[in-house]
Amino acid sequence: MECADCEIRFKQSVRRNCAVLLSFYLTVIAGHIRSAAAQNNHEPLIGCTEVFMHHFFHLRRAAVLACAMLLSAAAAFPTAAVQQAEKSDAAANDSPMLALTFDDGPSEKNTGRILDVLEANGAKATFFVIGRNIAPCADVLVRARKMGCEIGNHTYDHKKLSDLSGEGIARQLEKTDEAIEGILGIRPSLVRAPCGRCSAYVASCLDRPIILWSIDTRDWEYACSRRGGTPQNRDKIVRSVLEHARDGDIILMHDIYSLTADCVSQIVPKLCEMGFRLVTVSEMMESRRIELQGGTIYHNGR
């Protein structure tokens, strides 16, 4: 917006200066014509014509100069705007990034709370959803997608993939793909194996990038413990992120727990204050020029 305003002001200034320049030459010509007419009482027309022709060349030169200035301004500002945009993109790419990821949802209540926090802070996340949970929470999935969040495949029943045949693994992914496509009209490009168990055999059966993590908050362990959502457990989860997060990390959490939603309300604003951009997994990988390959495991964006 500032660049566009600057362009408008500059071109207006050029036009004003050109108008002043042309007015000056016309005034000079008129003055010389009157002077010539006064000095050539017997042949005023010849004198005026000679003066006009003499100054016509100056006038034409001024007009050419004015056009050149306008063309130069028009050509220069788009280039400047492009350069400014490129600098902004480069700065964004150079800023530290994190990918928050949430497994086992969606959850009508807790995923919604997490989306509230993300939206309030201009952040995004990647949600690896379980197929059987999708239909009851279709509105949550639609909202996440509209916010720019990414949806990944976390199988249909959260089964241990290493216990399944190749066909069984394919069915788990296909059913979830169909459930997501039925709601969003797209098929997910990323997959996460339940519990992160991904042997070489399982990886060979998957036709898309396999996203694991570099920071495990262990929120599921604290949420299922006897202490549950105590302040001590919340503090442990929050510190596991804030004290260890670095550029390119993929952070594991689970959006089915209210404890996790409580922690996210503290984690996200603080990460933003620390200068991190919270983006989707695919955005971070693309920004870091990491080309994702099917059947390959990724733990971070470094």
Side-chain angles (χ1 to χ4, degrees):
M1 183 63 71
E2 292 180 0
C3 185
D5 292 341
C6 184
E7 177 181 358
I8 293 172
R9 289 195 296 270
F10 182 81
K11 288 185 176 180
Q12 289 175 341
S13 175
V14 169
R15 293 191 186 98
R16 284 196 300 269
N17 290 334
C18 289
V20 170
L21 183 61
L22 292 174
S23 176
F24 170 75
Y25 273 103
L26 289 174
T27 301
V28 171
I29 291 173
H32 279 279
I33 289 175
R34 286 194 298 269
S35 176
Q39 294 176 7
N40 295 275
N41 293 324
H42 301 292
E43 297 178 317
L45 182 59
I46 295 176
C48 291
T49 302
E50 289 176 347
V51 171
F52 177 81
M53 291 303 296
H54 172 74
H55 288 281
F56 171 77
F57 293 104
H58 294 284
L59 179 62
R60 184 177 64 178
R61 194 174 300 126
V64 170
L65 177 61
C67 291
M69 292 174 67
L70 285 173
L71 290 173
S72 176
F77 268 96
T79 301
V82 170
Q83 291 174 344
Q84 183 178 9
E86 290 175 346
K87 288 180 180 178
S88 298
D89 291 341
N93 291 339
D94 290 339
S95 62
M97 293 182 181
L98 297 174
L100 300 179
T101 65
F102 297 91
D103 288 7
D104 298 352
S107 160
E108 186 71 39
K109 178 182 178 181
N110 296 314
T111 307
R113 289 177 59 199
I114 290 170
L115 291 175
D116 289 342
V117 176
L118 294 174
E119 188 171 32
N121 290 274
K124 301 177 187 177
T126 300
F127 293 86
F128 289 95
V129 299
I130 293 178
R132 69 186 180 199
N133 293 342
I134 291 174
C137 302
D139 56 336
V140 175
L141 209 63
V142 170
R143 181 189 174 193
R145 178 66 179 174
K146 286 183 177 179
M147 285 174 53
C149 294
E150 186 169 23
I151 309 301
N153 191 318
H154 198 43
T155 75
Y156 194 82
D157 296 308
H158 206 267
K159 288 185 176 180
K160 187 178 179 181
L161 296 184
S162 58
D163 291 341
L164 303 178
S165 65
E167 291 182 359
I169 293 174
R171 280 196 299 272
Q172 282 287 314
L173 298 186
E174 181 64 23
K175 289 175 67 176
T176 305
D177 283 347
E178 290 175 353
I180 294 172
E181 186 175 25
I183 301 298
L184 301 179
I186 60 167
R187 291 198 165 210
S189 60
L190 305 179
V191 64
R192 174 173 283 168
C195 303
R197 297 192 182 104
C198 191
S199 63
Y201 161 71
V202 170
S204 69
C205 296
L206 301 176
D207 60 351
R208 63 197 83 180
I210 305 156
I211 307 301
L212 296 186
W213 53 84
S214 52
I215 293 180
D216 183 356
T217 63
R218 305 195 71 79
D219 58 337
W220 60 272
E221 182 179 341
Y222 295 119
C224 297
S225 69
R226 285 185 298 176
R227 291 186 176 183
T230 62
Q232 292 83 355
N233 282 345
R234 285 198 299 271
D235 186 56
K236 289 177 182 177
I237 294 171
V238 171
R239 285 192 291 108
S240 72
V241 176
L242 300 184
E243 293 181 0
H244 299 96
R246 62 191 183 105
D247 185 30
D249 273 328
I250 297 175
I251 300 168
L252 170 65
M253 289 182 278
H254 298 77
D255 53 323
I256 57 174
Y257 303 116
S258 59
L259 173 61
T260 300
D262 292 340
C263 294
V264 167
S265 66
Q266 299 180 50
I267 291 170
V268 169
K270 189 61 179 178
L271 288 174
C272 292
E273 288 178 14
M274 294 166 65
F276 287 105
R277 291 180 60 211
L278 305 183
V279 298
T280 67
V281 169
S282 290
E283 286 175 334
M284 183 166 68
M285 296 302 189
E286 181 180 359
S287 175
R288 299 304 187 236
R289 292 180 171 81
I290 298 174
E291 187 174 350
L292 298 174
Q293 303 289 338
T296 302
I297 298 174
Y298 299 87
H299 290 89
N300 55 63
R302 291 189 286 272

